[in-house]
Amino acid sequence: MLRTALRNVLAHKARLLMTVLAVMLGVAFVSGTLVFTDTLSQAFRSQSTKSYEDVAVAVSMYPSAEEAQKTPGLSQKDVDRVAKLDGVASVTPRVDGFAGVPDKDGKLIGVGWSSKGTNFAPGKDGKDRAYTFVAGAGPVRDTQIALDEDSADKGGYKVGDTVRVATNGPVKEFTLAGVFTTEDGAVNAGGSLILFDTSVAQKLYLKPGYFQDLAVTAAPGADADKLLDEVLKVVPKAATAQTGQALAEEQAKDIEAGLGSLNQVLLGFAGIALFVGVFLISNTFTMLVAQRTKELALMRAVGASRKQITRSVLAEAGVVGLVASAVGYLLGVGLAVGLRSAMNAFELKIPDGDLVLGATPVLTAFAVGVLITMLAAWLPGRRAAKIPPVAAMSSVHATASTKSLVVRNSIGAALTAIGAVLIVLGAGKGGDTGRMLIAGGAFLTLIGVIVLIPMLSRPVIAVIRPVFVNLFGVSGKLAGLNAVRNPRRTGATASALAIGLTLVTGLSVIGATVGQALDKMTVDQIRADYMITMASQTSLSEDALTALAKAPGVTAASPQQAGALEIKGSYVSASGVTPGDIEKVLKITTVNGSLASLGEGQIAVAEKTAAKRGLKVGDTVPVEYLDKAEDKLTIGAIYEDSEFLSPVLIDQKVIDAHEQETYTPQIFVTMDGGPSDANQKALSKALGDNPAITVMDKKDIRDEFGGQINLLLNIVYGLLAMALLIAVLGVVNTLAMSVFERQQEIGMLRAIGLDRRRVKRMVRLEAVVISVFGAIVGIGLGSFLGWAIGETFKSSLPGYALVLPWDRIGIFLVLAGLVGVLASLWPARSAAKLNMLAAIKAE
């Protein structure tokens, strides 16, 4: 039986190649993901260990706003006390924050969060151990900086050049004193690193004489744990300290946790691909068994048992799974190398390190590949073993019994109904609980629909068949009839496409719905022509508002300065705004009173906040600011709630008087003539052509808020493309089998006048019918799931309304048809090339 199984594998190379490809792709994704994340984890772990290999103790101090008024950080006295401890060889103090440099086009190098500045901290030998200079030296004057090598190359800077540096304040010019290499995470993330003289860095980021971090190096023979105890005794209580080894391990764990999330996402898509592959594998073995029905019956007649027949089919599947797993693993290693290169190409640098080929990816690849293949082949093998020898010898077609169809359809209907009920209940429940119910319901519904899909094929295809008949005549009619000739096979083939399009459509519905809601919540709330922000997502300086107000063409400018007030015993967030201008830059609907009262030192309160606290226009309420100062303010207006507005609006000058450091995330500006290149240049010039400041018009704002959703959808589409590729292989397999079974029929059709061109068209249209059928099922189910998931968070998203992206749905249907056409190329060509006389004589 084993020799027979091996012979059958070699006898059906072309058909089994489809199965190998399906398994291979899924295994490649699984093993590639594991190798990639193992390699990344090891590389970052090595980098983290290297970064702290000379650090015995690391000290940090990031006090709260209240504590910072007394002690903003670690003082020079703290540094000196630590340096005098027994066992301390050296202490390197650091202070850092945002700093960016422009490229040749004046744009910020890297993204804001990865553009960093810190101090050059040389030891007694004049060198800073964290940086290796490849040109020049570190900054030793207020007018000098040093720049990392990659940023210097991108900006075309050389030692001695004048470099414009952007921080949270005005742009300043420095002389480039040196260029260095580093293992700093910001640079590895594609950002930039600037070294300032220590006094300059302290003025920029903290306060003269203070630092945020200390790196303590131990003398030879000193114990790091004992040194840690001594350090804790001499630093402020607000400071935290730990050994360098502990800090390196903590960073490694954080990195592994972050990579674990990526790992789960990629493995999830690999699972989807393998799940889709199950249908292709099952279909393939069902076809092979159907072709060998007489052979298997003869084997039963000469003494082979049912178990031997089943084991024979499983042995074939095992061989196919082993081959597919081996090739898939090798392909996965190549995928891991490719992903690493792709990240470097996108300037997301990975620390140097060897490719990690551990045992887990190998074992997982073979376990997954072989088990999935054998699991998918078990049912066809079991079905083959059940066929009585006499019945099998008399017919190559084993029709399903009425009882089996009733049982199948009953189970499918029950699963679908239970799943649908859970989805509806989850939509009504909302929140995390509702989403969990929807996830369970979606799984049951998907399984139920897959079970029911052969039954669904007849009525659905009957609806779309007249279109093909009217457009393509006899070829269209024959294609429609052929598509429902074997509903189980058609259903299994369409299921693969249905699963992929369910996910794609569901995500598209959610993306379109959330995107429209964000548009209403943001762009529709903005009257301003421009929104000004920092690329680093930090606060704009106070000088920025003054500069913008004086810019030519500006008619109104107001910030949304973040603040807070304590009203009636609880704090509520407040926005500091410019009276008279705020209503010109943002859409604010007044319920009662007037926003003009803001200019008189009064406040405006959102409708829900006012109702909750029992406030109305004209009330005078006691308030407490963040600096604990108390005051009495009159409510001058009540306005409609908006996610884009804080619950309280107040003159920004009032907030400024009570906050040591203001936080202004954005400033809105309206200008004469509206958005134009000239107006945008005028604003940039007024801000000193600061590369760290972003001037966005309404299109940019829409892209800022909605672009992330579209980017996420595109990534998901790309990952799901593999599942759809496996679905294409399934259509090819089904059509090839269909052509094989209908050789005699095709020969007869050729004999009575159906030419080769029409035969090709018939097979192609059959593929299109099956593909469109799968797409219709997937789109319908995906839209239902998209609606249900949207219902769970609509209460937290003002302006929510279900959006069905008909343009994308139309594209999905067209792509499904295109999938059918592409998948039919080889089977259609094979059908057209059949010799009609030989085909008529075929059994």
Side-chain angles (χ1 to χ4, degrees):
M1 293 301 291
L2 181 61
R3 284 198 301 271
T4 303
L6 294 174
R7 185 199 68 193
N8 287 325
V9 169
L10 297 174
H12 302 93
K13 302 183 191 71
R15 186 100 0 93
L16 287 171
L17 178 63
M18 302 294 179
T19 299
V20 170
L21 286 173
V23 179
M24 181 186 72
L25 288 172
V27 169
F29 215 147
V30 171
S31 57
T33 296
L34 294 175
V35 171
F36 178 63
T37 50
D38 284 351
T39 301
L40 254 65
S41 179
Q42 184 60 43
F44 281 115
R45 182 180 284 275
S46 298
Q47 181 197 45
S48 183
T49 301
K50 184 178 179 182
S51 299
Y52 293 100
E53 62 183 356
D54 294 331
V55 178
V57 177
V59 184
S60 298
M61 185 171 174
Y62 293 86
S64 64
E66 187 175 348
E67 292 171 336
Q69 293 180 7
K70 299 177 182 177
T71 308
L74 296 158
S75 68
Q76 186 61 50
K77 290 182 179 179
D78 296 325
V79 177
D80 295 338
R81 279 196 291 267
V82 173
K84 291 177 182 178
L85 293 173
D86 291 336
V88 173
S90 64
V91 180
T92 305
R94 298 283 184 205
V95 58
D96 57 49
F98 167 74
V101 293
D103 59 17
K104 295 177 182 179
D105 298 324
K107 295 182 179 179
L108 189 70
I109 294 174
V111 292
W113 61 268
S114 63
S115 299
K116 180 181 169 185
T118 189
N119 62 303
F120 176 64
K124 295 177 181 178
D125 58 357
K127 296 180 180 180
D128 190 326
R129 63 182 181 79
Y131 312 106
T132 302
F133 281 84
V134 295
V140 293
R141 297 188 181 91
D142 290 356
T143 57
Q144 293 179 330
I145 62 165
L147 190 59
D148 71 274
E149 187 176 27
D150 288 342
S151 298
D153 290 341
K154 291 173 187 175
Y157 297 117
K158 296 180 180 179
V159 173
D161 287 353
T162 298
V163 181
R164 299 175 71 247
V165 178
T167 58
N168 291 343
V171 176
K172 295 181 180 179
E173 293 186 346
F174 294 85
T175 301
L176 185 62
V179 176
F180 59 87
T181 59
T182 178
E183 291 296 323
D184 189 279
V187 177
N188 283 325
S192 61
L193 180 62
I194 301 170
L195 298 182
F196 298 96
D197 179 66
T198 296
S199 62
V200 175
Q202 288 175 328
K203 290 176 184 176
L204 284 172
Y205 303 126
L206 203 57
K207 191 176 180 180
Y210 287 92
F211 301 94
Q212 294 159 327
D213 302 285
L214 303 180
V216 181
T217 305
D223 183 80
D225 291 323
K226 291 182 180 178
L227 195 56
L228 173 62
D229 293 335
E230 295 300 316
V231 168
L232 286 170
K233 293 176 183 178
V234 298
V235 296
K237 291 182 179 180
T240 58
Q242 57 188 137
T243 62
Q245 182 181 354
L247 188 58
E249 290 175 357
E250 184 180 300
Q251 285 196 359
K253 288 180 180 178
D254 291 341
I255 290 166
E256 287 180 3
L259 291 175
S261 301
L262 173 65
N263 205 9
Q264 290 173 5
V265 171
L266 293 177
L267 288 175
F269 284 102
I272 292 168
L274 288 169
F275 184 57
V276 171
V278 166
F279 295 98
L280 170 56
I281 299 164
S282 182
N283 240 6
T284 300
F285 280 94
T286 299
M287 297 172 192
L288 294 176
V289 167
Q291 289 180 28
R292 292 164 44 212
T293 304
K294 286 189 175 181
E295 175 191 330
L296 293 173
L298 181 60
M299 292 173 67
R300 287 289 313 282
V302 297
S305 67
R306 288 185 176 185
K307 289 184 178 179
Q308 285 180 310
I309 297 293
T310 303
R311 284 199 296 265
S312 173
V313 175
L314 290 178
E316 290 181 49
V319 173
V320 172
L322 281 171
V323 174
S325 298
V327 178
Y329 174 73
L330 295 175
L331 189 63
V333 173
L335 179 64
V337 174
L339 283 172
R340 184 170 181 169
S341 301
M343 290 185 74
N344 286 329
F346 282 102
E347 300 182 349
L348 297 173
K349 296 184 179 179
I350 300 171
D352 293 332
D354 297 329
L355 190 69
V356 178
L357 300 176
T360 302
V362 179
L363 295 175
T364 303
F366 280 89
V368 168
V370 174
L371 287 176
I372 288 291
T373 310
M374 294 183 71
L375 179 66
W378 175 76
L379 191 60
R382 185 169 174 270
R383 193 180 297 133
K386 282 185 173 182
I387 301 174
V390 175
M393 286 181 188
S394 63
S395 174
V396 297
H397 301 294
T399 57
S401 67
T402 304
K403 181 181 177 182
S404 69
L405 290 175
V406 170
V407 171
R408 177 191 178 110
N409 293 337
S410 298
I411 292 172
L415 289 173
T416 304
I418 294 170
V421 169
L422 286 175
I423 291 171
V424 173
L425 287 175
K429 184 76 174 176
D432 291 337
T433 304
R435 283 187 280 273
M436 290 294 291
L437 286 171
I438 290 172
F443 178 75
L444 291 176
T445 302
L446 197 59
I447 298 297
V449 169
I450 290 168
V451 174
L452 281 176
I453 210 166
M455 185 184 74
L456 295 173
S457 63
R458 290 185 182 278
V460 174
I461 292 176
V463 172
I464 61 178
R465 187 167 59 204
V467 177
F468 290 88
V469 174
N470 291 333
L471 291 175
F472 304 104
V474 174
S475 297
K477 182 177 182 179
L478 290 172
L481 293 172
N482 290 332
V484 293
R485 177 176 294 186
N486 192 328
R488 282 192 173 184
R489 188 189 304 152
T490 297
T493 305
S495 294
L497 277 170
I499 293 166
L501 283 173
T502 294
L503 297 171
V504 169
T505 305
L507 289 168
S508 297
V509 170
I510 295 169
T513 301
V514 173
Q516 179 176 284
L518 286 176
D519 265 0
K520 288 182 179 179
M521 192 173 72
T522 54
V523 178
D524 291 354
Q525 294 285 332
I526 298 172
R527 287 177 172 169
D529 298 317
Y530 295 99
M531 183 172 79
I532 319 297
T533 62
M534 288 292 293
S536 59
Q537 305 301 315
T538 53
S539 175
L540 288 155
S541 68
E542 295 179 24
D543 297 333
L545 180 60
T546 304
L548 288 168
K550 294 179 180 178
V554 172
T555 56
S558 176
Q560 274 227 91
Q561 183 177 308
L565 297 171
E566 184 181 299
I567 301 176
K568 290 193 173 183
S570 61
Y571 276 96
V572 59
S573 61
S575 288
V577 300
T578 303
D581 284 1
I582 183 63
E583 58 266 41
K584 296 177 183 177
V585 297
L586 294 178
K587 183 179 179 181
I588 305 175
T589 304
T590 306
V591 176
N592 203 355
S594 171
L595 291 176
S597 60
L598 293 173
E600 300 169 5
Q602 298 181 5
I603 59 173
V605 182
E607 192 173 13
K608 289 181 182 177
T609 303
K612 185 178 180 181
R613 288 173 169 75
L615 305 175
K616 61 183 184 298
V617 171
D619 287 352
T620 298
V621 293
V623 300
E624 183 178 284
Y625 299 99
L626 289 177
D627 63 355
K628 302 301 181 183
E630 296 181 352
D631 197 359
K632 289 186 177 181
L633 297 175
T634 302
I635 299 173
I638 304 292
Y639 58 90
E640 286 185 3
D641 285 79
S642 166
E643 287 294 317
F644 211 69
L645 294 168
S646 296
V648 173
L649 301 181
I650 188 171
D651 188 338
Q652 50 116 187
K653 292 178 182 177
V654 177
I655 288 286
D656 283 349
H658 297 279
E659 294 190 2
Q660 187 176 8
E661 291 186 10
T662 59
Y663 178 67
T664 306
Q666 66 259 138
I667 298 174
F668 297 95
V669 177
T670 56
M671 302 187 73
D672 284 330
S676 67
D677 290 341
N679 280 341
Q680 191 159 356
K681 287 179 181 177
L683 292 179
S684 296
K685 186 176 180 180
L687 294 166
D689 291 320
N690 190 330
I693 297 179
T694 306
V695 180
M696 295 187 285
D697 59 19
K698 286 193 175 183
K699 181 181 180 301
D700 296 328
I701 297 169
R702 181 177 278 107
D703 292 341
E704 176 77 11
F705 288 100
Q708 295 179 357
I709 294 173
N710 291 328
L711 176 63
L712 179 63
L713 284 176
N714 289 334
I715 292 172
V716 171
Y717 291 160
L719 292 171
L720 287 175
M722 186 174 64
L724 294 177
L725 176 60
I726 294 173
V728 172
L729 297 177
V731 178
V732 173
N733 236 5
T734 295
L735 291 176
M737 182 59 188
S738 179
V739 170
F740 173 82
E741 287 181 350
R742 297 185 348 241
Q743 289 184 66
Q744 192 176 60
E745 176 187 318
I746 292 171
M748 290 293 293
L749 290 171
R750 289 288 315 282
I752 61 176
L754 196 69
D755 58 20
R756 288 185 175 182
R757 181 173 59 85
R758 289 182 178 177
V759 169
K760 283 184 179 181
R761 183 184 296 171
M762 175 185 71
V763 177
R764 287 173 186 161
L765 291 176
E766 182 180 346
V768 172
V769 168
I770 294 172
S771 299
V772 171
F773 165 56
I776 290 172
V777 173
I779 289 169
L781 189 54
S783 299
F784 178 50
L785 289 175
W787 162 80
I789 294 170
E791 289 292 307
T792 63
F793 57 74
K794 72 175 184 179
S795 60
S796 60
L797 195 62
Y800 170 89
L802 180 67
V803 176
L804 291 177
W806 294 111
D807 52 343
R808 294 186 186 184
I809 289 174
I811 292 172
F812 297 157
L813 284 171
V814 171
L815 288 176
L818 184 61
V819 162
V821 172
L822 293 175
S824 67
L825 292 178
W826 173 54
R829 187 168 176 269
S830 299
K833 288 175 68 177
L834 285 175
N835 182 289
M836 69 178 73
L837 295 178
I840 290 171
K841 291 190 297 180
E843 292 186 11

